[in-house]
Amino acid sequence: MWLTWRAAMERALYGDNGFYLRERPSGHFRTSVVASPVFAEAVTKVLLALDEKLGRPEPLDFVDIGAGDGALSALVLDLAETGLRDRLRITAVDLSSRPAGLPERVAWSPAAPEAITGLVIANEWLDNIPFDVAEQTPEGPRLVLVDTETGDERLGPAPEQEDLLWMERWWPLRRVGQRAELGRSRCMAWASVIERLARGQAIAIDYAHPVDNRPAQGTLTGYRDGSVVAPIPDGTCDITAHVALDACAEAGEQAGAISTTLSTQRDVLRSLGITGTRPSLDLARTDPPGYLRALARASQEAELIDGEGLGAFGWLSQIR
């Protein structure tokens, strides 16, 4: 069946028996949440700081979009001190079924709450929002169609006018054969998050690229069982691509965000005290078990801030 990439991804990932309706992300690729509970500690620090800025509202929302197995939500609940836990309203948002063993205090929903006062975390969510692909031809941009069974491609019609305008602003194609991953759908998805913020902060975390350094052929990739595979939209693998977070930032501002910060996971986590510093060898002599625990933590921190790995994730933070 020949479809646009956006339609093919929607069908493969979220259609009847789609990949994300039956699979958990942790089974196919490594995320910051899976890498270490230190990531949840960092998120909890952000939540605590926001709680103070908001005047300790009751309830205080924590919304985990693209929650997967709910691990981040459960860890934040566990890390929250009693006074905060009593006010905390946690919503894990995912289209898959509720995981077994998730604490009852964590609500499970296919959509974010309509009005949020607190913190929204969208960790590796935008990269799975379906999008179209366009290729430059001598006659102008054309949509790329894909065979959902084989992954073969051919050129289709021109993109819609709204997508052409998005490309002109955010992913201009300069030469024949260059491709753009049309991120307007992701911008719309992010704007809908900002619109739901009554008061608070929303953070999108994803691999990203800036407008002055878009990849000439895009970043469309498949994952299955921890390995990179061909991105064939037949429902057997995750299909993902890096995100134009700068474009999403502008969409968020148009939706009402009053403050925007674009950074990297490495810089954000280091600002929160996560440095990956190894413990002193003196500790090994005085407290060998403590040294081993500190060494293990340092290793986990180092993975989270690795500039060639998880630390390279973009962090888009917006306040409303």
Side-chain angles (χ1 to χ4, degrees):
M1 179 186 300
W2 290 94
L3 298 173
T4 64
W5 265 107
R6 183 173 178 177
M9 288 179 66
E10 185 70 42
R11 181 174 179 266
L13 299 181
Y14 307 112
D16 293 341
N17 200 36
F19 183 82
Y20 273 114
L21 270 64
R22 66 176 196 277
E23 301 284 344
R24 304 291 185 192
S26 58
H28 297 275
F29 53 89
R30 190 168 178 80
T31 68
S32 296
V33 179
V34 172
S36 172
V38 174
F39 181 79
E41 291 177 18
V43 170
T44 304
K45 286 184 179 180
V46 174
L47 178 64
L48 287 169
L50 179 63
D51 185 39
E52 290 293 330
K53 289 180 182 178
L54 295 178
R56 301 190 177 187
E58 186 172 354
L60 174 70
D61 285 305
F62 176 74
V63 181
D64 178 13
I65 299 182
D69 59 6
L72 179 60
S73 292
L75 285 167
V76 169
L77 177 63
D78 186 58
L79 289 166
E81 296 180 356
T82 302
L84 174 61
R85 188 182 298 117
D86 292 342
R87 293 185 290 111
L88 202 54
R89 180 171 61 188
I90 299 181
T91 306
V93 180
D94 206 279
L95 294 177
S96 61
S97 58
R98 183 185 179 92
L102 191 67
E104 292 184 5
R105 282 285 310 276
V106 177
W108 190 262
S109 173
E114 289 295 326
I116 299 167
T117 298
L119 179 63
V120 178
I121 295 288
N123 185 46
E124 297 193 62
W125 172 61
L126 287 173
D127 65 307
N128 289 127
I129 299 294
F131 58 90
D132 276 324
V133 177
E135 181 174 317
Q136 184 71 0
T137 75
E139 292 76 34
R142 302 271 296 277
L143 290 177
V144 177
L145 306 182
V146 60
D147 186 319
T148 58
E149 295 182 0
T150 66
D152 293 339
E153 296 178 331
R154 69 187 186 195
L155 295 180
E160 296 179 359
Q161 183 64 24
E162 293 87 346
D163 285 322
L164 289 172
L165 292 173
W166 187 92
M167 288 173 59
E168 182 180 345
R169 171 70 175 87
W170 294 108
W171 200 322
L173 298 178
R174 305 301 187 192
R175 295 188 298 276
V176 171
Q178 285 188 333
R179 288 189 168 193
E181 292 159 352
L182 307 185
R184 188 168 64 92
S185 57
R186 290 156 166 200
C187 290
M188 293 168 62
W190 183 246
S192 73
V193 172
I194 299 301
E195 288 169 353
R196 292 169 187 261
L197 271 183
R199 287 194 307 143
Q201 181 177 4
I203 300 175
I205 306 168
D206 255 306
Y207 281 124
H209 40 58
V211 67
D212 59 354
N213 191 29
R214 305 287 191 218
Q217 295 300 311
T219 58
L220 195 63
T221 307
Y223 286 96
R224 184 191 302 118
D225 299 330
S227 299
V228 175
V229 297
I232 299 174
D234 59 1
T236 65
C237 66
D238 173 37
I239 298 176
T240 180
H242 294 194
V243 181
L245 282 180
D246 45 6
C248 293
E250 183 173 284
E253 289 169 355
Q254 292 173 350
I258 60 173
S259 174
T260 296
T261 303
L262 271 169
S263 189
T264 65
Q265 178 157 302
R266 176 179 176 84
D267 288 344
V268 172
L269 295 192
R270 285 172 65 89
S271 74
L272 294 170
I274 296 172
T275 63
T277 303
R278 294 167 64 93
S280 168
L281 288 175
D282 291 339
L283 184 62
R285 290 187 287 269
T286 60
D287 181 7
Y291 174 79
L292 292 176
R293 289 192 299 271
L295 189 63
R297 181 184 175 91
S299 177
Q300 293 174 7
E301 290 188 1
E303 181 179 4
L304 290 174
I305 62 173
D306 179 6
E308 300 298 319
L310 297 174
F313 272 95
W315 276 54
L316 166 60
S317 174
Q318 294 191 301
I319 294 172
R320 188 180 188 196

